[in-house]
Amino acid sequence: MRTRSPRLWRTAILMAGLAAAGWGCATPSAPLVTQRFWPLPPDPPRIKLIGQLTGSGDVESKPSFLGRIVNLIAGKEVPVSLIRPTGVYSDGRGHLYVTDTGLQVVHFFDLQAKRYRQVFHLAGSARLISPVGVAVDDQGRLYVADSVLNDIFLFSPSGRLIGRIGQPGDYARVAGIALSPHGRLYAIDAGGHKVVVYGPNGEKMMTFGKRGGGPGEFNFPTQITVDRSGTVYVTDSLNFRVQLFTDEGNFIRMFGQPGTKIGSFSKPKGVAVDTEGDIFVVDGLYDVVQIFNQQGQFLMHVGGGGSDEGQFWLPSGIAIDQQNRVYVADTYNHRVQIFQLLSVREE
């Protein structure tokens, strides 16, 4: 009688066990069930939901059931899910970077080449702990702000640590970061209630802001963005407003106030600007993205509380690329939702 090898028996038992446990089901992906537009009819649509990302399985090809078994036996990695996406950056060329404070990594999605990888290794055995801010320069170098390590790390395009930005004591607690068209790096010091500015070579240039409620003052700012003209936008979270500055840190204007209705703020977080100059602000408590013009006049909002497509649960970061695609870190729904801006202006 021919006998089977122990390895074959172990493989058969493993396959049976995994099938019984449901592991052989298709890896969850993120197809859209219905098309969603904002605002609701009869108003003309101005923003469309076009997709969402929940993990590496949304961009990588999915192996067959047998292929997944072979990968598991061989020790190959299984698809990775977003845990707590916080910050997001798109370079407009199909490359999306997402900081994840739950998994303690930066996810990199190549949406065109269908590739995925992670960035988290520091020197030696050290790793990122609480990556919150993310930016990428025109050389493809990745900047990551870690709020627990209280440091800004610089990685090569391949994800290798190549340096740090700033010195100990530059900030009490670093948060959001943004790059200007001229290569300046603007870093939010949430604990120090200021913005720290670094030059293209990483040298500290200046700071602006202090704690307070007046123009140019902050109360726990969180996120920042810089538009194509160099204007700086800061979510001044506990002053419930957004402030605008020149690239030299000179105050321009501010808008927003605390309130319980759309158009006011409760927990402003991420901020981004589209190619028409309209300002998108994530409100983590209202679970919406609110849109304002350059004068701070409310235009419309997107979203609402929930877990359905187009809804949010404590969202945080936002980014808008050159094609006016809008990426929102829907933090406690464990995903990034992707919208296409049609227009937010009246015809």
Side-chain angles (χ1 to χ4, degrees), residues 61-141:
S61 60
K62 300 175 179 62
S64 65
F65 168 68
L66 182 59
R68 293 195 294 273
I69 295 296
V70 171
N71 287 346
L72 184 64
I73 295 172
K76 294 185 178 180
E77 294 182 354
V78 297
V80 176
S81 297
L82 300 180
I83 303 299
R84 197 177 301 158
T86 303
V88 59
Y89 177 88
S90 170
D91 66 0
R93 300 189 297 272
H95 298 157
L96 188 68
Y97 302 80
V98 182
T99 61
D100 190 328
T101 56
L103 203 57
Q104 300 177 310
V105 304
V106 177
H107 303 275
F108 170 72
F109 297 92
D110 189 330
L111 303 178
Q112 293 183 343
K114 304 296 183 182
R115 292 198 302 260
Y116 167 87
R117 61 180 168 85
Q118 297 176 357
V119 177
F120 60 88
H121 285 296
L122 301 177
S125 60
R127 59 169 298 151
L128 296 171
I129 296 178
S130 181
V132 289
V134 58
V136 178
D137 65 19
D138 56 7
Q139 301 177 50
R141 298 183 302 176

Side-chain angles (χ1 to χ4, degrees), residues 67-330:
R68 293 195 294 273
I69 295 296
V70 171
N71 287 346
L72 184 64
I73 295 172
K76 294 185 178 180
E77 294 182 354
V78 297
V80 176
S81 297
L82 300 180
I83 303 299
R84 197 177 301 158
T86 303
V88 59
Y89 177 88
S90 170
D91 66 0
R93 300 189 297 272
H95 298 157
L96 188 68
Y97 302 80
V98 182
T99 61
D100 190 328
T101 56
L103 203 57
Q104 300 177 310
V105 304
V106 177
H107 303 275
F108 170 72
F109 297 92
D110 189 330
L111 303 178
Q112 293 183 343
K114 304 296 183 182
R115 292 198 302 260
Y116 167 87
R117 61 180 168 85
Q118 297 176 357
V119 177
F120 60 88
H121 285 296
L122 301 177
S125 60
R127 59 169 298 151
L128 296 171
I129 296 178
S130 181
V132 289
V134 58
V136 178
D137 65 19
D138 56 7
Q139 301 177 50
R141 298 183 302 176
L142 174 67
Y143 298 75
V144 180
D146 191 301
S147 63
V148 170
L149 296 176
N150 206 25
D151 212 341
I152 301 174
F153 300 96
L154 178 61
F155 297 88
S156 71
S158 64
R160 176 178 57 87
L161 179 68
I162 56 177
R164 289 174 167 83
I165 305 298
Q167 299 294 327
D170 279 359
Y171 19 74
R173 187 176 180 87
V174 70
I177 56 176
L179 285 164
S180 78
H182 305 298
R184 290 183 177 181
L185 179 70
Y186 293 78
I188 292 290
D189 180 5
H193 314 283
K194 66 181 185 291
V195 176
V196 186
V197 185
Y198 298 94
N201 297 318
E203 72 281 10
K204 183 178 177 180
M205 295 181 60
M206 62 180 177
T207 67
F208 60 90
K210 63 178 182 178
R211 189 167 197 179
E217 297 176 340
F218 301 114
N219 190 13
F220 289 99
T222 51
Q223 295 295 332
I224 189 168
T225 193
V226 185
D227 69 17
R228 293 178 297 175
S229 69
T231 301
V232 179
Y233 305 76
V234 178
T235 49
D236 187 8
S237 293
L238 293 190
N239 279 327
F240 308 100
R241 64 190 183 188
V242 173
Q243 297 199 64
L244 282 65
F245 300 87
T246 69
D247 57 355
E248 295 295 331
N250 298 315
F251 174 79
I252 299 175
R253 72 177 65 92
M254 60 189 178
F255 65 89
Q257 65 283 321
T260 58
K261 62 181 181 180
I262 296 298
S264 58
F265 293 130
S266 179
K267 198 171 185 180
K269 289 190 171 182
V271 59
V273 181
D274 68 17
T275 59
E276 295 180 333
D278 292 317
I279 306 165
F280 291 59
V281 184
V282 175
D283 196 298
L285 194 58
Y286 291 154
D287 295 315
V288 296
V289 176
Q290 302 193 69
I291 307 171
F292 303 83
N293 65 18
Q294 280 287 312
Q295 287 68 48
Q297 297 171 321
F298 174 74
L299 300 176
M300 61 174 289
H301 76 278
V302 174
S307 298
D308 290 342
E309 294 167 347
Q311 296 180 326
F312 303 115
W313 184 9
L314 294 178
S316 51
I318 185 171
I320 303 176
D321 66 19
Q322 297 93 319
Q323 286 73 44
N324 280 329
R325 287 184 293 260
V326 183
Y327 306 83
V328 181
D330 188 6

